[in-house]
Amino acid sequence: MTAPFGGLPRIDKRPGATGVDAHAAATWRECCARSAGLEGEADAAARQIIADVRARGDAAVVELTARFEGRTLTADGLEVSRERWDQGRRAVSQEIAAALQLAADRVRAFHRTQTHQTTGLKDEHVSLHSRVAPLERVAVYAPGGTAAYPSSVLMAGIPAKVAGVEEVLLLTPRATDVVLLAAHLAGIDRIFEIGGAQAIAAAALGTEHVPRVDKIVGPGNAYVTAAKRQVYGLCDIDGIAGPSEIMVVADATADPQLVAADLISQAEHDRLACAVLVTDHPPLVEATDAALARQLDDLPRRDIAVAALHDHGAAVLVSDRAALVEAANDYAPEHLELLVERPEAMAERVRRAGAIFVGPYTPEAAGDYTAGPSHVLPTAGAARYGSPLGVWDFVKHTSVLMLGAQALREQADAIVILARAEGLEGHARAVERRLAVDEQDR
Amino acid sequence: MTAPFGGLPRIDKRPGATGVDAHAAATWRECCARSAGLEGEADAAARQIIADVRARGDAAVVELTARFEGRTLTADGLEVSRERWDQGRRAVSQEIAAALQLAADRVRAFHRTQTHQTTGLKDEHVSLHSRVAPLERVAVYAPGGTAAYPSSVLMAGIPAKVAGVEEVLLLTPRATDVVLLAAHLAGIDRIFEIGGAQAIAAAALGTEHVPRVDKIVGPGNAYVTAAKRQVYGLCDIDGIAGPSEIMVVADATADPQLVAADLISQAEHDRLACAVLVTDHPPLVEATDAALARQLDDLPRRDIAVAALHDHGAAVLVSDRAALVEAANDYAPEHLELLVERPEAMAERVRRAGAIFVGPYTPEAAGDYTAGPSHVLPTAGAARYGSPLGVWDFVKHTSVLMLGAQALREQADAIVILARAEGLEGHARAVERRLAVDEQDR
């Protein structure tokens, strides 16, 4: 029993005789206003789980895993042993192993270009630097269930190791053989077969067997997301993930079969996934609907894709090329595909997108697996301010300041005046006392 | 009526005949376990305020400002007019203006060294880049009350403008003349005289008069902090701030008068401020206590400083130089001063600190005002994973991917194999369809 595909919901943003249709404008605003902010239903549950892990440590993790996943663990068995890891990864087929290796090599090569260097100023009187260093221990979360994606282990683990993180943990409720191999190729140091909010709590707080980490990265379900949000401040997190999204911007030159294929490759992820077509060429909408209907027909995950396209899909009609760019910037998509004339020129004008896929030979699927940049990207409009997961997520800066006596003398008046203007006499005296000592010494 | 100063609480971490004193070890663990994570009392109030601003916009901001601050505003008057701004900043004394100008120049020069460049790989078949761009609109929060610090406006506003942010808003409940001048020197674009959780909500959500921002930075009181935490995901934030902290690491070469002066310059901020001395030279503890008693005597903010030193101060005794470094790494202080022999060598061994002040001529007060690096730093142990506010806070990356037909062909097998291994047939087909089209064309 499968739902029929009734075509993408339309949003016509072309100005008519009376301006843009009010309903279309409101629908579009709603599309663009999506966000991962503020509390959801999972927050109360996550709060309880974190409190429980804080109070009882591994015993809570074991019990919650039994309750939510029906898996029987022991505290000693939270970590995947080296023997099981090696055995599992060696059981992966040659074909998949070679594909994962190619992906890992490309992802590593790309991330090695993301260099971070200590910067600053130095002369004979003063040395001021922003020193860069890797985080010491981080956790990569990889979901289980229908969304057990070994590719995500590469996409999060490799940037961490390229940054130089000493110990990278993998947290996953289902360490399949392929996941074990991906962890090996990514350079993951330890694997804990735990998931959900209890895994996030264990890594953020530390338990008897799970060491406390400096940062947790990687997407998860609503409980994982709620837990990450709540532990932010105990450790760092990479952001608050919403459902995955694609916007395909296409003009008269686009092949509707490719437009449909790429919308489907997003929609098949999840009933909540967003797949939006924006075009200035009205016939493309009809042609894409027809192509979608045909391509959905024998898709294994047809029902998920149809639901996503109906509920979170859209075909947005705009009047010209400038409006295509404007729509992309308004929406700030996680993935943006440009199937247009001169796509490189258009890419330069887009200010808000997690990743931009330029031209017909760059399907989102290439970015998901092998191209090189991480597929962990800002969702839900976070491309306004967020970045793809990268080496920058795994380094921190420390300011290192050293003034000589003369440098301090040169700044002393300004410091003292500003400190007193702010009512902080102790600050002023800390400087004056040094100059007084200095006078005596001379 | 002033409280007597009874000396810094002692934590003796020197191993005795029976190892480290259990009470000392526990006290030290508690010191190091401080964190800004998980909910506090202000969360429920902030939640209400955000919901109110979401529902009623400026009307809520006006009403909440009257209720919490006793200030009468109108929606039209939330923004400081250009006339009032210019008039106010010109009223600042020549002396303070010159000091602020010196600070602004130095802070700007330092932050110009924090460059961020687009990086990536390019050959004839593929172009993969991490494109860097500034955020478009951010808000700097500057508290009012006893903590109206014009210096913070420079320390947050200048990195944002150096990064190239188009529009930087200042949110402050008390736009004094000096704050107005600091905003001018920092290059702030617009000033809104609003504060508290309602200011954070207005900037994160956008109201009739306050534009929605991409990121909010700068420390505030407990309500501001709670609100920032809750709006994270609607926009970005710079972190979750706790009380300010200093750790002074000192050996037998340190001058106890300077140690005391610097502990006081932190303790005078706030009754919750932390001021910790670590030394391997027991006589320094007694000498510092004596110096503290004398220096506190005529300090204007004596009561605040005494309370902070009693409740959150400590003198930690360790046995050798290596243990000094270990204590700094355990504590991960916001500010770390090294008053020791060969301080530069020690600085290199410290992995966790927001800012390190090296040697006797680098008091924290210099970093607070004029040295150059931002004084907005990770607190509450966040130096494990966080950075000083810097240009990196105001840029984002976008991955830009462009594959040619041959590059896609080379990766196609791996993509298809991995997509099918993950159960995502639509992803595999999106690639196969392109190769099929490609075949037909040839």
Side-chain angles (χ1 to χ4, degrees), chain B residues 249-256 259 284 339-340:
Chain B
V249 168
D251 63 14
T253 67
D255 176 347
V259 174
L284 185 66
L339 297 175
V340 295

Side-chain angles (χ1 to χ4, degrees), chain A residues 84-153:
Chain A
R84 188 182 141 211
W85 187 354
D86 286 342
Q87 206 166 26
R89 72 179 171 85
R90 291 192 183 113
V92 174
S93 77
Q94 192 57 42
E95 188 181 47
I96 291 176
L100 270 181
Q101 182 73 61
L102 180 144
D105 291 346
R106 292 193 55 90
V107 172
R108 188 169 289 112
F110 178 76
H111 285 92
R112 283 194 174 141
T113 69
Q114 294 174 352
T115 52
H116 286 260
Q117 283 169 343
T118 292
T119 55
L121 301 167
K122 191 175 168 67
D123 65 27
E124 58 183 315
H125 302 301
V126 64
S127 157
L128 304 169
H129 289 93
S130 300
R131 195 176 72 186
V132 184
L135 303 188
E136 294 166 56
R137 188 192 287 128
V138 306
V140 168
Y141 187 86
T146 54
Y149 298 147
S151 56
S152 296
V153 176

Side-chain angles (χ1 to χ4, degrees), chain B residues 66-341:
Chain B
R67 191 189 313 163
F68 297 131
E69 301 174 34
R71 279 197 300 135
T72 308
L73 289 172
T74 59
D76 281 346
L78 299 182
E79 182 165 5
V80 172
S81 71
R82 180 51 64 177
E83 294 68 37
R84 190 184 138 208
W85 188 353
D86 285 343
Q87 205 166 26
R89 72 179 169 85
R90 290 193 183 114
V92 174
S93 76
Q94 190 59 40
E95 188 181 48
I96 292 176
L100 270 182
Q101 181 74 58
L102 180 144
D105 290 345
R106 293 193 55 91
V107 173
R108 188 170 289 112
F110 178 76
H111 284 91
R112 283 195 175 139
T113 69
Q114 294 175 351
T115 53
H116 286 261
Q117 282 168 343
T118 292
T119 55
L121 301 168
K122 190 174 168 66
D123 65 26
E124 56 181 316
H125 302 300
V126 64
S127 157
L128 304 169
H129 288 93
S130 299
R131 196 177 71 188
V132 184
L135 304 188
E136 294 165 55
R137 187 191 287 128
V138 306
V140 168
Y141 187 86
T146 54
Y149 297 148
S151 55
S152 296
V153 177
L154 300 182
M155 294 293 185
I158 290 174
K161 292 307 285 189
V162 169
V165 176
E166 216 169 278
E167 188 167 281
V168 181
L169 315 184
L170 173 64
L171 311 176
T172 182
R174 203 157 65 99
T176 63
D177 289 347
V178 187
V179 165
L180 292 173
L181 177 58
H184 174 74
L185 294 175
I188 298 283
D189 296 284
R190 300 172 70 181
I191 304 177
F192 291 83
E193 202 169 15
I194 55 177
Q198 58 274 21
I200 302 301
L205 295 161
T207 65
E208 302 90 319
H209 286 87
V210 184
R212 183 181 176 203
V213 302
D214 298 323
K215 184 163 186 167
I216 302 174
V217 303
N221 65 18
Y223 299 95
V224 168
T225 302
K228 280 175 68 179
R229 178 195 183 82
Q230 287 174 37
V231 300
Y232 178 48
L234 291 174
C235 65
D236 197 11
I237 62 172
D238 58 339
I240 298 177
S244 196
E245 309 158 350
I246 193 171
M247 173 178 273
V248 177
V249 168
D251 63 14
T253 67
D255 176 347
Q257 297 295 337
L258 298 188
V259 174
D262 294 348
L263 292 173
I264 285 173
S265 78
Q266 189 59 246
E268 73 173 343
H269 269 290
D270 181 347
R271 282 168 192 272
L272 297 174
C274 302
V276 176
L277 164 65
V278 184
T279 185
D280 57 355
H281 184 61
L284 185 66
V285 176
E286 310 304 327
T288 299
D289 270 349
L292 281 170
R294 274 194 308 275
Q295 293 184 27
L296 282 164
D297 210 38
D298 64 342
L299 189 76
R301 294 167 71 94
R302 179 181 195 283
D303 286 0
I304 292 172
V306 168
L309 291 168
H310 272 171
D311 297 345
H312 306 284
V316 183
L317 265 168
V318 300
S319 44
D320 56 23
R321 186 171 162 105
L324 293 174
V325 173
E326 193 185 312
N329 283 330
D330 283 353
Y331 190 78
E334 180 192 13
H335 303 96
L336 175 67
E337 278 194 9
L338 301 181
L339 297 175
V340 295
E341 272 194 298

Side-chain angles (χ1 to χ4, degrees), chain A residues 161-411:
Chain A
K161 291 308 285 189
V162 168
V165 176
E166 215 169 279
E167 189 167 280
V168 181
L169 317 184
L170 175 64
L171 311 175
T172 181
R174 202 157 66 96
T176 63
D177 290 345
V178 187
V179 165
L180 293 172
L181 177 58
H184 174 75
L185 294 175
I188 298 283
D189 297 284
R190 301 172 69 181
I191 304 177
F192 292 83
E193 201 170 15
I194 55 178
Q198 58 273 20
I200 302 301
L205 295 160
T207 66
E208 302 90 319
H209 286 87
V210 184
R212 183 182 177 203
V213 302
D214 299 322
K215 184 165 186 168
I216 304 175
V217 303
N221 66 18
Y223 298 94
V224 168
T225 302
K228 280 175 67 181
R229 177 193 184 83
Q230 288 174 36
V231 300
Y232 177 49
L234 292 173
C235 64
D236 197 11
I237 60 172
D238 59 340
I240 298 177
S244 195
E245 309 158 350
I246 194 172
M247 174 178 274
V248 178
V249 167
D251 63 14
T253 67
D255 177 346
Q257 297 295 337
L258 298 189
V259 173
D262 294 348
L263 292 173
I264 285 173
S265 78
Q266 189 59 247
E268 73 172 344
H269 269 289
D270 182 346
R271 283 168 192 274
L272 296 174
C274 302
V276 176
L277 164 65
V278 183
T279 186
D280 58 355
H281 184 61
L284 185 67
V285 176
E286 311 303 326
T288 300
D289 269 349
L292 281 169
R294 275 194 307 274
Q295 292 184 29
L296 283 163
D297 210 39
D298 65 341
L299 189 78
R301 295 167 71 94
R302 181 183 193 282
D303 286 0
I304 292 171
V306 169
L309 292 168
H310 271 170
D311 297 345
H312 305 284
V316 183
L317 265 169
V318 300
S319 43
D320 56 24
R321 186 170 162 105
L324 292 174
V325 173
E326 193 187 312
N329 283 329
D330 283 352
Y331 190 79
E334 180 191 15
H335 303 96
L336 175 67
E337 278 194 8
L338 301 181
L339 297 175
V340 295
E341 271 194 298
R342 291 172 286 116
E344 283 177 286
M346 186 178 283
E348 281 174 28
R349 297 183 53 208
V350 175
R351 303 176 68 165
R352 304 180 189 163
I356 307 177
F357 298 82
V358 182
Y361 292 105
T362 320
E364 192 209 302
D368 285 344
Y369 294 109
T370 58
S374 180
H375 74 201
V376 181
L377 294 167
T379 54
R384 276 165 47 231
Y385 54 80
S387 298
L389 200 70
V391 169
W392 43 78
D393 278 295
F394 301 104
V395 299
K396 62 178 174 178
H397 297 83
T398 298
S399 298
V400 184
L401 299 79
M402 184 169 185
L403 306 188
Q406 184 175 330
L408 184 62
R409 265 197 302 276
E410 284 168 10
Q411 297 173 39

